[in-house]
Amino acid sequence: MKQFLEKLSLHQPLSTIEINEAAAAIFAEHTTETEIAAFLMALKSKGETATEIAGLVDVLRQQALPIQTQARNIMDNCGTGGDGSQSFNISSTAAFVLAGAGITVAKHGSRSVSSKTGSADVLEELGINIYLETAQIEESLSEIGISFLFAPSIQPNLGRITRIRKELKIPTVFNLIGPLTNPVNLQSQLIGVYRSDMLELFANVLKKLGRKRAVAVTGAGNMDEASLQGENKIVLLNEGDITSFTLHPEEVNLPLYTNDKIRGGSAHENAAIMMSVLKNEKGAYRDTVLLNAGLGVFANGKAATILEGINTARESLESGSALAKLEALISYCQKKKVVM
């Protein structure tokens, strides 16, 4: 680890081989917690490159429990968190809309970190077993078209890293890479980033990770979701090409709402909000999900334009397909309960 710390202290980037070796060292028993903390802070101080982030993610995915599935064109939709908006569980709700539109979704997430209620909290409240075994995750992906991957269960070797991060009390690269560490072989992805200055960096990381198509978005008000408050900043990765543009809700025939209109609460409250959206109850919650699910359909490549994606998402809600996917996953989990 010493050689990597010395190089980072000189603000020199690590190569692919070096970051892979450094990341592997993080998980080695002989590496001290002091060394790991020093590495994370040195990387933060220098500023992470796409090569470094992708290399770290590759090693983390290798450490994860393997998920094998025959499903095609699987996607994830997840945000980095950290925007402080206290919004309801937008991406979790949108995941069922995407599944209802015929897209296979491997929803990666965890419990609350920076918000009141994390994806795992609200899904557990609804009756979804977040502790599914890998074979059950694979089965639900193939049979239902959606499954939830609980990050702490999928990444069992992160305990020491988590403890160090809590002791540091300073955001590091691990606060950004959660949405990238899904062990499923994803072909497409929608990722929300609360810092618009990092959108292109994330697009380049997604490119290095092999995504064929992806969208990174920072919502109005620096949300890690697309927002109806105003202009959204977007970077599209499509077959290796990266382009940037902005999107205003009025461009896709959606109304304006300030971000305080989509605040959530407890797991119970957010579960009720999710159910209201999936039952197609109109309002700010539903329209926000339409925007984000529409972006997801576009990111997946199932729609040629964002407007077309939003229309596809609307059909998923209005037809009841999105709600049916939630009900199917709940039913599956009740039949496959895991004894903890």
Side-chain angles (χ1 to χ4, degrees), residues 41-185:
M41 292 309 300
L43 195 62
K44 176 182 176 67
S45 177
K46 179 189 71 64
E48 302 89 346
T49 66
T51 295
E52 290 165 343
I53 294 175
L56 181 57
V57 168
D58 277 336
V59 172
L60 283 168
R61 293 181 74 244
Q62 291 168 21
Q63 292 281 331
L65 300 180
I67 307 291
Q68 305 294 332
T69 176
Q70 299 301 314
R72 300 291 182 182
N73 197 12
I74 308 172
M75 78 172 298
D76 190 6
N77 66 320
C78 187
T80 59
D83 63 8
S85 68
Q86 303 299 319
S87 62
F88 76 106
N89 300 93
I90 298 169
S91 63
S92 297
T93 309
F96 291 101
V97 181
L98 291 167
I103 297 170
T104 302
V105 182
K107 185 72 179 77
H108 189 247
S110 192
R111 296 197 184 276
S112 173
V113 177
S114 59
S115 60
K116 290 183 179 179
T117 306
S119 55
D121 302 306
V122 71
L123 295 178
E124 195 171 45
E125 177 72 19
L126 287 164
I128 291 173
N129 189 346
I130 63 173
Y131 297 103
L132 289 177
E133 298 173 354
T134 54
Q136 294 168 337
I137 292 171
E138 294 165 2
E139 188 175 49
S140 57
L141 282 172
S142 298
E143 294 185 1
I144 304 171
I146 186 169
S147 193
F148 181 71
L149 288 72
F150 185 44
S153 294
I154 298 297
Q155 291 276 1
N157 299 326
L158 279 179
R160 187 162 69 143
I161 305 297
T162 301
R163 184 171 63 253
I164 293 169
R165 289 172 59 198
K166 288 181 178 178
E167 291 176 355
L168 283 174
K169 297 179 181 178
I170 297 174
T172 68
V173 66
F174 277 91
N175 292 78
L176 296 171
I177 63 176
L180 302 170
T181 58
N182 191 323
V184 175
N185 184 24

Side-chain angles (χ1 to χ4, degrees), residues 153-307:
S153 294
I154 298 297
Q155 291 276 1
N157 299 326
L158 279 179
R160 187 162 69 143
I161 305 297
T162 301
R163 184 171 63 253
I164 293 169
R165 289 172 59 198
K166 288 181 178 178
E167 291 176 355
L168 283 174
K169 297 179 181 178
I170 297 174
T172 68
V173 66
F174 277 91
N175 292 78
L176 296 171
I177 63 176
L180 302 170
T181 58
N182 191 323
V184 175
N185 184 24
L186 304 174
Q187 286 75 49
S188 57
Q189 188 162 2
L190 170 64
I191 183 168
V193 185
Y194 73 95
R195 286 179 52 183
S196 60
D197 62 311
M198 299 192 78
L199 287 175
E200 190 167 334
L201 172 63
F202 267 80
N204 277 291
V205 173
L206 289 163
K207 179 179 178 179
K208 288 180 178 293
L209 293 175
R211 304 293 188 271
K212 300 300 182 183
R213 189 173 167 92
V215 165
V217 58
T218 301
N222 295 317
M223 284 190 67
D224 71 329
E225 311 273 3
S227 166
L228 294 173
Q229 181 168 285
E231 187 176 82
N232 297 274
K233 296 179 180 179
I234 296 172
V235 174
L236 169 67
L237 166 67
N238 183 36
E239 299 292 346
D241 295 327
I242 295 174
T243 54
S244 303
F245 58 96
T246 60
L247 178 74
H248 193 278
E250 292 176 341
E251 296 176 53
V252 286
N253 304 324
L254 288 174
L256 293 173
Y257 291 101
T258 55
N259 289 339
D260 63 340
K261 299 296 184 184
I262 55 171
R263 284 186 179 171
S266 66
H268 180 74
E269 291 168 325
N270 283 11
I273 293 171
M274 180 183 288
M275 288 301 297
S276 74
V277 172
L278 296 180
K279 290 179 179 178
N280 200 37
E281 295 180 17
K282 294 178 172 58
Y285 295 126
R286 171 187 174 272
D287 289 341
T288 299
V289 169
L290 277 178
L291 176 58
N292 282 275
L295 268 175
V297 176
F298 174 69
N300 177 261
K302 191 178 179 68
T305 66
I306 295 172
L307 179 58

